[in-house]
Amino acid sequence: MDIKVNVREAQGDIYVVELTGEIDVYTSPKVKDAITELIDQGHYNLVIDLEKVRYIDSTGLGVLIGGLKRVREHGGTVNLVCTNPQIKKIFDITGLVKIFGIFDDEDAAMKALV
Amino acid sequence: MDIKVNVREAQGDIYVVELTGEIDVYTSPKVKDAITELIDQGHYNLVIDLEKVRYIDSTGLGVLIGGLKRVREHGGTVNLVCTNPQIKKIFDITGLVKIFGIFDDEDAAMKALV
Amino acid sequence: MPEHGRGVVELRIPSKAEWVAVARLAIAAVANRLDFSIEEIEDVKLAVAEACTNCIQHATGGDQIEITCETEKSSLTVHVKDYGVGTQPEEIQSRRVSEPREGGLGVFLIRSLMDEVQYDVHPELGTNLVMRKKVSA
Amino acid sequence: MPEHGRGVVELRIPSKAEWVAVARLAIAAVANRLDFSIEEIEDVKLAVAEACTNCIQHATGGDQIEITCETEKSSLTVHVKDYGVGTQPEEIQSRRVSEPREGGLGVFLIRSLMDEVQYDVHPELGTNLVMRKKVSA
Ligand SMILES: Nc1ncnc2c1ncn2[C@@H]1O[C@H](COP(=O)(O)OP(=O)(O)O)[C@@H](O)[C@H]1O
Ligand SMILES: Nc1ncnc2c1ncn2[C@@H]1O[C@H](COP(=O)(O)OP(=O)(O)O)[C@@H](O)[C@H]1O
């Protein structure tokens, strides 16, 4: 019932944000802070890896959408890594599948950014 | 929050009862039934494998103690397989470590019976 | 398990973000008593968490959230009640996402994940949400 | 997590075996809000479950169990209350096991796993158990 945020630089000024745990109204501010910091530093191409996320609620989705909106203003984008069926279902029913690129692994998410 | 009971015959008329799940006031009658059935059929040397048990309470301990008492009346015994530290701790603080043979794997528990 | 309990479980948590996880785990344990699939249990978990999140974020002044679960053999009904100064009934609506926006997904998710959803809004007394999920199998 | 909430969480379950798992998971989620180790959380879980089990097995006529958790930064206090026709105070005792016996381990475990344990027995009104666990770290 907690979230771990791990940020690392990949090739070509892409940053990978790897999240572990549960993203809810309590933990999402921590995710938001990490994404905001990257954007403030001028990094606009992000891969957010949700493979180790067991749960996400609407505040978590809001943080992802907020990040996407900000990087888009700078010509960047956010790709997601997610294979968990329950979480993919949430992106499906909210229509967010049409807004985010969702990939099966970090490699694919990264390649789609370059 | 459920228990699965798997009974199988091993060599030398030893029976192995493999439990998976949580043993509490709700699920322990199912464990008791399985053990009682074996004893009623005349099997008095049992290995009860707790490796896949994540939780046991006093009613679960009561079932194990009850089984041990009954097989002892026929010269048999019950050996346990358990390495989970939290569960071992329960056997420790209740003093049941002195009453049960507790082993790291089924092989060891079985050898000690023969 | 042969017998599935009808029963009422009540939970009361402080109306603060850090306690939503308690509601989530408790409701999952309650749902687990019924014949729900894992996916259905996750649905109920998220719907109840969204409801709690809305109490925390929108019900000004309420300091407790009351969650009442009524289980029957083939359905679970959950009441989520707050005592905050609520919203106008017309505020509560769900919408599909056509362009990225940060808010407004909670009620939409609740309506999507549960079979029946009813809001009982008393702007001065708080909001009472009743939602029901049927066992599909 | 930087801030640990003081707060009160209340749970009410039917006094039936199948609901103890709900209390167990809810209390684990509450304990998880404090700085308890995994082992300490397991201790609290088992102690609360044993208390509920005793309500179910010994508190004749009570149909509900009320569990109240008070969290502070460095300790968790749990009240487990039933409304059954209870026992005589002297019945509730814990003992070490010298020979195999099926019963009588519950109260012993509660006293071993928690830091403070107090029974408040009203033979006609029900039993109120208050137990407290301190965060060791
Ligand atoms: N418990 C509640 N108390 C007061 N207002 C509520 C409550 N639940 C929902 N609402 C209202 O419904 C609106 C939609 O909620 P939701 O779909 O979760 O989106 P968001 O929370 O992002 O606004 C909220 O903005 C709020 O006005
Ligand atoms: N909530 C309760 N209501 C009535 N009696 C209780 C309660 N809790 C404990 N007791 C009494 O304490 C005794 C010891 O309980 P315990 O150590 O759990 O062993 P057991 O349940 O196997 O008897 C019980 O037999 C019962 O008489």
Side-chain angles (χ1 to χ4, degrees):
Chain A
M1 283 169 295
D2 210 344
I3 191 79
K4 283 205 192 86
V5 183
N6 177 31
V7 175
R8 64 173 192 279
E9 190 174 357
Q11 80 267 40
D13 197 43
I14 295 171
Y15 275 74
V16 178
V17 181
E18 198 186 49
L19 303 172
T20 306
E22 313 203 324
I23 314 180
D24 73 354
V25 60
Y26 183 52
T27 61
S28 61
K30 204 168 161 182
V31 179
K32 185 175 189 169
D33 288 351
I35 294 175
T36 303
E37 200 184 317
L38 282 173
I39 299 175
D40 287 347
Q41 292 166 353
H43 306 300
Y44 306 125
N45 285 306
L46 308 179
V47 168
I48 301 183
D49 187 338
L50 303 173
E51 276 304 89
K52 290 182 193 138
V53 170
R54 291 182 308 263
Y55 174 87
I56 188 165
D57 75 355
S58 69
T59 60
L61 298 177
V63 167
L64 299 179
I65 297 167
L68 180 63
K69 282 173 68 180
R70 280 200 61 200
V71 298
R72 276 193 181 170
E73 289 165 11
H74 299 90
T77 196
V78 172
N79 282 345
L80 305 178
V81 181
C82 177
T83 58
N84 178 320
Q86 186 65 23
I87 293 182
K88 284 183 93 161
K89 176 178 147 183
I90 305 303
F91 282 93
D92 253 341
I93 58 182
T94 54
L96 292 172
V97 272
K98 296 188 197 119
I99 292 165
F100 285 102
I102 303 181
F103 299 88
D104 283 356
D105 54 56
E106 282 188 14
D107 256 12
M110 224 118 62
K111 281 203 187 101
L113 272 180
V114 192
Chain B
M1 281 169 298
D2 210 343
I3 192 79
K4 282 204 192 86
V5 183
N6 177 29
V7 175
R8 64 173 192 277
E9 189 174 358
Q11 80 268 41
D13 197 42
I14 296 172
Y15 275 75
V16 178
V17 181
E18 198 186 47
L19 302 173
T20 306
E22 315 202 324
I23 313 180
D24 72 355
V25 59
Y26 183 52
T27 62
S28 60
K30 204 168 159 183
V31 179
K32 187 175 187 170
D33 288 350
I35 295 175
T36 303
E37 198 183 319
L38 281 174
I39 298 174
D40 287 347
Q41 293 167 349
H43 307 298
Y44 306 125
N45 284 305
L46 307 180
V47 169
I48 300 182
D49 187 338
L50 303 174
E51 277 303 89
K52 292 181 192 138
V53 170
R54 293 183 308 264
Y55 174 87
I56 189 165
D57 75 355
S58 68
T59 58
L61 298 178
V63 167
L64 299 181
I65 296 166
L68 179 63
K69 281 174 68 181
R70 280 200 61 200
V71 298
R72 276 194 180 167
E73 289 165 11
H74 300 89
T77 195
V78 172
N79 281 346
L80 305 178
V81 181
C82 178
T83 58
N84 178 320
Q86 185 65 23
I87 293 181
K88 283 183 95 160
K89 176 178 147 185
I90 304 304
F91 282 93
D92 254 341
I93 57 183
T94 53
L96 292 173
V97 272
K98 294 186 199 120
I99 293 165
F100 285 102
I102 303 181
F103 299 87
D104 283 356
D105 54 56
E106 283 188 13
D107 256 12
M110 225 119 62
K111 282 205 186 97
L113 272 182
V114 192
Chain C
M1 291 286 120
E3 217 213 283
H4 291 286
R6 284 161 165 266
V8 176
V9 172
E10 281 171 58
L11 177 68
R12 208 186 273 259
I13 57 169
S15 187
K16 291 208 184 108
E18 63 203 282
W19 296 105
V20 174
V22 173
R24 212 157 66 215
L25 289 181
I27 192 75
V30 171
N32 198 41
R33 290 288 107 223
L34 284 84
D35 267 333
F36 284 125
S37 67
I38 291 173
E39 187 181 335
E40 287 169 329
I41 293 175
E42 288 297 319
D43 291 350
V44 173
K45 228 168 113 174
L46 182 52
V48 170
E50 294 294 345
C52 292
T53 299
N54 275 340
C55 297
I56 293 164
Q57 294 185 327
H58 303 298
T60 320
D63 58 358
Q64 292 256 311
I65 304 172
E66 225 175 85
I67 300 148
T68 308
C69 317
E70 295 163 16
T71 65
E72 295 187 74
K73 195 174 163 6
S74 61
S75 79
L76 171 62
T77 305
V78 186
H79 302 245
V80 179
K81 197 171 159 62
D82 66 58
Y83 297 91
V85 175
T87 186
Q88 295 305 315
E90 56 276 17
E91 278 287 311
I92 297 181
Q93 43 185 293
S94 61
R95 42 171 211 91
R96 199 161 268 286
V97 196
S98 52
E99 44 146 355
R101 220 193 75 176
E102 277 113 309
L105 291 172
V107 174
F108 175 76
L109 280 170
I110 293 169
R111 292 197 193 273
S112 305
L113 298 169
M114 302 296 278
D115 291 314
E116 288 166 30
V117 176
Q118 200 195 311
Y119 273 96
D120 200 359
V121 179
H122 307 278
E124 298 306 313
L125 295 170
T127 299
N128 191 0
L129 163 58
V130 187
M131 46 194 169
R132 182 149 170 262
K133 180 99 178 167
K134 293 176 206 153
V135 175
S136 69
Chain D
M1 292 286 118
E3 217 213 283
H4 291 285
R6 284 160 165 267
V8 177
V9 172
E10 281 172 59
L11 177 69
R12 209 186 272 260
I13 57 169
S15 187
K16 292 210 183 105
E18 63 202 282
W19 297 104
V20 173
V22 173
R24 211 155 68 214
L25 288 180
I27 193 75
V30 170
N32 198 42
R33 291 289 107 222
L34 285 85
D35 267 333
F36 284 126
S37 66
I38 290 173
E39 188 181 335
E40 287 168 331
I41 293 175
E42 289 296 319
D43 291 351
V44 173
K45 228 166 112 174
L46 182 53
V48 171
E50 294 294 345
C52 292
T53 298
N54 275 340
C55 298
I56 293 164
Q57 293 185 327
H58 303 297
T60 319
D63 58 357
Q64 291 257 310
I65 305 172
E66 224 176 85
I67 300 150
T68 309
C69 315
E70 295 164 16
T71 65
E72 294 187 73
K73 196 175 162 3
S74 60
S75 78
L76 171 62
T77 305
V78 186
H79 303 245
V80 179
K81 197 168 159 61
D82 66 59
Y83 297 92
V85 175
T87 184
Q88 295 305 315
E90 58 275 18
E91 278 287 310
I92 297 181
Q93 44 185 295
S94 60
R95 45 171 209 89
R96 200 161 267 286
V97 196
S98 51
E99 44 146 355
R101 221 193 74 175
E102 278 113 310
L105 291 171
V107 174
F108 175 76
L109 280 170
I110 293 169
R111 292 198 193 273
S112 305
L113 298 169
M114 302 296 278
D115 292 313
E116 288 167 30
V117 175
Q118 201 196 309
Y119 273 96
D120 202 358
V121 179
H122 307 279
E124 298 306 314
L125 295 170
T127 299
N128 191 359
L129 162 59
V130 187
M131 47 194 170
R132 182 151 171 260
K133 180 99 179 166
K134 293 178 205 152
V135 174
S136 68

